[in-house]
Amino acid sequence: MTSPSSLGRFLAVFVLGFWIAACSDSDDSNGQGKADVSITSNFESGNIGRAERAGDAEWDLYLKDDNNDASLPVNWRNWWYIRIRQQGEAQTLTLNLKNRGWNYFYVPVYSYDRLNWFRLDESDVKQVGASETCNSTTQSPVLDDCELSMRLDASLFDGRPLYLARFYPYTYSQLLTFLKTLEGHECVDQSSVGRTAVFQESIPYLTIRCPDGDDSQVVWVHGRTHPAESGSSFVLEGAITRLLDDMEENRNNSRNLAVHIVPMHNVDGVIAGNYRTTPDSLNLEVLWTFDQASLPFLKSDAPLENRLVNEPMRTVSQMFADRSLIALNLHSSNSAPDRPVFAFPHFGDDPDQYSAEEIQLWNDSNRLLNLLKINYDGRIDTTATGGDGFLNAFFPETWWWRTRAETAVAMTVETTYGRAGFPHWVTETNIRELGSSLIQSIYDYRDGVVPETPINLLRSDGQAEPVFAPMDEWDTKH
Ligand SMILES: [Zn+2]
């Protein structure tokens, strides 16, 4: 596995070659009354299009398309992550975020060390714009006049650089640091599925299985296909920590679980600071391409990362051909602030519309989701029907269905970035707790627990379950 130090050397070369010229903008003409500010993104997962001074202490920030590829959809502009330095006496700054791909209100996060993150005060963030839809909870396709304006109080600047981001970042280096803490554990085997297409970095692969395990429940999980959807990484940290704790204490029959994890599918995209694609502008999520002749393999022209990750998927699938698998694909979705975690179970329960196998998959998927809803205090949004649109595309779930049908309970799970069912803006700890709840739900699922339905969303602020607008993944998922 590549060490963080070699990654650092690589990044230094990458940054010097491309990022400073493309992404940073500092102002050294410090006139009378003007704040002396530099805004840069030349670090791992950093991203901003351009920064333009709009006043003595005011800056306009423009989001960029992944890889500056203007052919990508507008709503793939979402991720930004910057470093702000102020020289001299600190002033209160205003930053106006423009060129946004989504109009949902949110509260950005800040840090001084890129490890400990805090939310800005909500009262210092407002959404402004002429567009009628700017402050609605539905997405507008035209967002050029819908800004997110942030006030950064002078007290935030104490001489250290201030890092500011759309959401809690989770970099490749951070993943490697976390994986290092698992080294030597008797129930963890760490390897790699191979190296990425552009930066030649290792894509880590973990198998969590105790030597005395019997594989009575086999689970596949991969995350970060969309690089900026960092919620998945906190889910995985929480899930892995919980599972290993249980295995050490021999709780919940956990030692009989076998969990196979590719925690960061699109490593290159994460390093580059992309929102949705690889540095080649590939949306890996919809490129698990196969045909009847290639199955169970992907086609030879499928993206390298997908073919690499598909190898252990195939091995796990074939090794446990005689038993039910759970296969989860972790994402994060832009959505209205109160939307909680949700998922994409497939098909439905109508026998006029679906086969017995399709209804079985729907029922099994929802049993797992409803268990998760119970274990995560109701903060899961379930859906009345899933449909079969995924069969017309090449999602990983499409591959699982074609190779395993109802014996692989395969679905995408989406964390969200807002309050996510909590009375406060969601924290990293809240998302790690989702991972722990997921492990409990897998135990319950394995043990045949059938949750009572219907289950009401247990909003801790006592509000009724809101009606949610369409969100991030719909355009590609269904
Ligand atoms: Zn996604």
Side-chain angles (χ1 to χ4, degrees), residues 131-196:
S131 166
E132 195 174 292
T133 54
C134 183
N135 286 300
S136 78
T137 55
T138 54
Q139 194 208 351
S140 161
V142 182
L143 297 172
D144 287 348
D145 58 354
C146 189
E147 299 176 12
L148 195 75
S149 183
M150 294 160 265
R151 178 184 172 279
L152 303 181
D153 193 87
S155 63
L156 288 172
F157 297 94
D158 61 0
R160 292 175 291 176
L162 182 75
Y163 291 86
L164 194 66
R166 187 265 180 261
F167 191 70
Y168 308 107
Y170 193 104
T171 62
Y172 180 53
S173 297
Q174 211 169 333
L175 173 66
L176 297 182
T177 300
F178 174 71
L179 294 180
K180 220 164 175 48
T181 68
L182 309 179
E183 283 178 3
H185 196 290
E186 62 157 347
C187 302
V188 179
D189 179 67
Q190 298 200 45
S191 59
S192 167
V193 302
R195 292 192 175 272
T196 59

Side-chain angles (χ1 to χ4, degrees), residues 9 27 66 98 107 223 247 250 263 309 351 421 444:
R9 282 196 299 277
D27 189 296
D66 283 359
K98 294 170 173 284
V107 179
M247 285 173 158
N250 205 11
V309 172
D444 294 344

Side-chain angles (χ1 to χ4, degrees), residues 225-227 229 275-276 283 285 329-333 412 414 417 472-473 476-477:
T225 299
H226 290 144
E229 296 176 1
Y275 168 48
R276 203 164 176 92
N283 178 15
E285 178 65 5
N329 173 15
L330 301 182
H331 286 256
S332 307
S333 182
T412 289
E414 304 264 356
Y417 304 102
D472 193 352
E473 304 282 349
T476 53
K477 282 288 174 189

Side-chain angles (χ1 to χ4, degrees), residues 246-260:
D246 286 351
M247 285 173 158
E248 284 163 22
E249 301 294 328
N250 205 11
R251 282 191 296 256
N252 298 107
N253 214 4
S254 53
R255 295 179 72 87
N256 288 329
L257 241 61
V259 184
H260 300 261

Side-chain angles (χ1 to χ4, degrees), residues 45-192:
S45 294
N47 183 328
I48 197 65
R50 64 183 198 276
E52 293 179 356
R53 185 183 281 279
D56 286 350
E58 184 166 355
W59 293 74
D60 290 339
L61 305 180
Y62 291 82
L63 297 193
K64 73 178 182 73
D65 298 302
D66 283 359
N67 318 307
N68 290 308
D69 183 343
S71 71
L72 299 179
V74 168
N75 64 6
W76 291 10
R77 283 199 305 261
N78 176 57
W79 176 248
W80 57 276
Y81 178 16
I82 58 175
R83 175 173 50 216
I84 310 173
R85 294 179 198 270
Q86 252 198 98
Q87 305 294 332
E89 190 178 345
Q91 298 190 32
T92 294
L93 303 182
T94 299
L95 303 183
N96 306 312
L97 197 64
K98 294 170 173 284
N99 218 24
R100 299 170 62 209
W102 292 85
N103 65 339
Y104 295 120
F105 176 77
Y106 62 85
V107 179
V109 297
Y110 70 93
S111 172
Y112 298 100
D113 59 7
R114 290 186 277 174
L115 291 175
N116 298 289
W117 289 88
F118 313 94
R119 292 271 184 179
L120 291 177
D121 192 312
E122 185 172 343
S123 65
D124 285 332
V125 186
K126 61 179 190 288
Q127 196 156 243
V128 290
S131 166
E132 195 174 292
T133 54
C134 183
N135 286 300
S136 78
T137 55
T138 54
Q139 194 208 351
S140 161
V142 182
L143 297 172
D144 287 348
D145 58 354
C146 189
E147 299 176 12
L148 195 75
S149 183
M150 294 160 265
R151 178 184 172 279
L152 303 181
D153 193 87
S155 63
L156 288 172
F157 297 94
D158 61 0
R160 292 175 291 176
L162 182 75
Y163 291 86
L164 194 66
R166 187 265 180 261
F167 191 70
Y168 308 107
Y170 193 104
T171 62
Y172 180 53
S173 297
Q174 211 169 333
L175 173 66
L176 297 182
T177 300
F178 174 71
L179 294 180
K180 220 164 175 48
T181 68
L182 309 179
E183 283 178 3
H185 196 290
E186 62 157 347
C187 302
V188 179
D189 179 67
Q190 298 200 45
S191 59
S192 167

